[in-house]
Every structure is written in structure tokens, then in C-alpha cells.
Amino acid sequence: MDTMVIGIAGGTGSGKTTLTEKLKERFGPDVSVLYHDNYYKRHDDMTYEERTKLNYDHPDAFDADLFIRDLKALRRGEDIRCPVYDYTVHNRSEKTLEVQSRRVVIVEGILIFENKAVRDLMDIKIFVDTDADERILRRLMRDVKERGRTLDSVVSQYLTTVKPMHEAFVEPSKKYADVIVPLGGHNTVALDMIVERIRAELGR
């Protein structure tokens, strides 16, 4: 089985997940997704308070070796069990998640284009480009409602690490994209173009 790897990158709250979900809806069992966020490094040696102070928006926050190893396995047609990150405790949980190798594997994350070894494993690289004000509002809503964070903690993290790291690493990685999509999954023209490209790959 030839596996096509599609990378979907972009800043926090840019609409990467919306685009990914719409592609999953279109192609169902032909697509699987590998989320870069699940590959944050484990920090059992730290207290909860120490973990809350880590910079999670820097490339060094991720276990790049494990991520690359798992992505290579998916490309070879092998299923994997990826780690599961628990945002409420700022650490990996004891659970793992099975990710099956499919004809199309979507890789989603803010920093997946920053690492050349990861980029080189992708057939198509898509960068979701969304206005910074809209991104921070989406992040606020998501982190408070879905991840149990306080408003103050989200704002503090955004100003101290998210925004500077976006400018230092995420935005510059846009130059590696094959396709830049404004508004993410809400851009129906771009979505239709991507769908047609995947359909061609699947031989439909």
C-alpha cells in the first residue's frame, strides 16, 4: 500500500483541526490522523507547577525522534500506538492511541514544518493562515472550555510563549508549504482543491 502523507500546519487556533475534520468527513476510513500535540515529551520528574511553566510552543517540547519513527512506520503501512497527552496535568497520560496506516495519513500540528526530517516525510504540505486576533480568540475559547484552563493562564501563556514562538518558528515555516489556505476548513475553494488531489491519489 502506498501511503500519502499530508501535513497541515499553522498557528494555534488557525483552523487546522477544522480542515482535518472536513477531510476526514469526506474520505472516512481512507484517512487517518496523527496529531503532533500527542508527542509532547513526558515530564514525570517534574511537579505539576513546574510543568505548567514549560514552553510548549518551542520545537524542543516535542519528542521528535518518536514522532519521526511512528510517521515512518505509518508510511510503511504499519499501524502504531501513539502517546496521548493530557492537557489537564501537562503531561502524557498512561494511555496510548492506535493509529492505523491508511492510503492517506494527515499529520497535524503547529510546528510540523519546522523540522526538516518531518517535512521530508510529507507528500503535500498545507499551511492554514488565519488572522492573529481570530486565532487568540479561538484558543481562549478552546482552552477554557475544553481543557479546563483559566482565562488568566491562557492569556499569560499566549503573551509569554505562544506569540513569541509563533513569530520565531511557526510563521517562518510557512515558506515550506506547498499550499497556503486562508481561513482553514471554512475556505471551501481550497478544501475542494485538496479533496480533488486526494481523490486522484486514491484513484477515485
Side-chain angles (χ1 to χ4, degrees):
M1 178 179 69
D2 293 328
T3 298
M4 179 186 199
V5 176
I6 301 174
I8 300 181
T12 181
S14 60
K16 301 183 298 301
T17 301
T18 301
L19 178 58
T20 298
E21 290 298 324
K22 287 185 179 295
L23 292 174
K24 285 172 62 180
E25 288 172 11
R26 297 285 185 101
F27 295 101
D30 287 325
V31 175
S32 64
V33 183
L34 187 66
Y35 294 99
H36 196 208
D37 280 4
N38 276 328
Y39 288 81
Y40 281 119
K41 291 176 180 175
R42 181 182 285 278
H43 291 290
D44 295 334
D45 56 321
M46 294 183 177
T47 65
Y48 172 81
E49 288 72 22
E50 289 171 329
R51 292 196 299 269
T52 62
K53 297 174 183 176
L54 292 174
N55 182 351
Y56 292 96
D57 292 88
H58 191 282
D60 289 346
F62 295 89
D63 188 341
D65 291 340
L66 178 60
F67 185 73
I68 291 167
R69 186 162 70 244
D70 282 354
L71 185 52
K72 285 181 176 178
L74 290 171
R75 282 193 68 101
R76 292 193 301 267
E78 302 169 11
D79 299 342
I80 64 162
R81 295 206 68 89
C82 81
V84 175
Y85 190 77
D86 186 343
Y87 293 95
T88 62
V89 297
H90 297 281
N91 205 6
R92 281 189 198 169
S93 73
E94 297 304 317
K95 300 176 183 177
T96 59
L97 176 68
E98 183 182 22
V99 179
Q100 298 179 329
S101 182
R102 301 294 192 189
R103 291 287 303 282
V104 176
V105 173
I106 296 174
V107 181
E108 182 196 310
I110 63 172
L111 289 167
I112 56 173
F113 296 167
E114 185 275 336
N115 187 316
K116 184 179 185 302
V118 175
R119 288 199 309 271
D120 289 347
L121 295 171
M122 299 176 187
D123 300 292
I124 299 177
K125 296 181 288 296
I126 301 167
F127 190 95
V128 181
D129 202 14
T130 303
D131 179 77
D133 289 342
E134 189 170 348
R135 287 192 291 105
I136 179 56
L137 287 173
R138 287 178 181 174
R139 179 166 180 132
L140 280 168
M141 296 291 288
R142 180 198 68 193
D143 284 5
V144 171
K145 286 188 173 182
E146 299 176 16
R147 298 181 179 174
R149 304 277 304 281
T150 66
L151 180 62
D152 287 347
S153 72
V154 177
V155 171
S156 175
Q157 184 183 33
Y158 182 81
L159 293 175
T160 56
T161 59
V162 177
K163 186 174 186 290
M165 295 301 100
H166 177 87
E167 293 169 351
F169 297 107
V170 182
E171 189 68 24
S173 76
K174 182 164 64 175
K175 66 186 177 186
Y176 300 113
D178 301 306
V179 181
I180 296 175
V181 179
L183 305 178
H186 301 292
N187 187 328
T188 56
V189 173
L191 177 63
D192 288 344
M193 291 174 62
I194 295 165
V195 166
E196 288 307 312
R197 176 66 182 85
I198 297 174
R199 279 199 178 122
E201 177 68 19
L202 295 176
R204 293 184 177 177

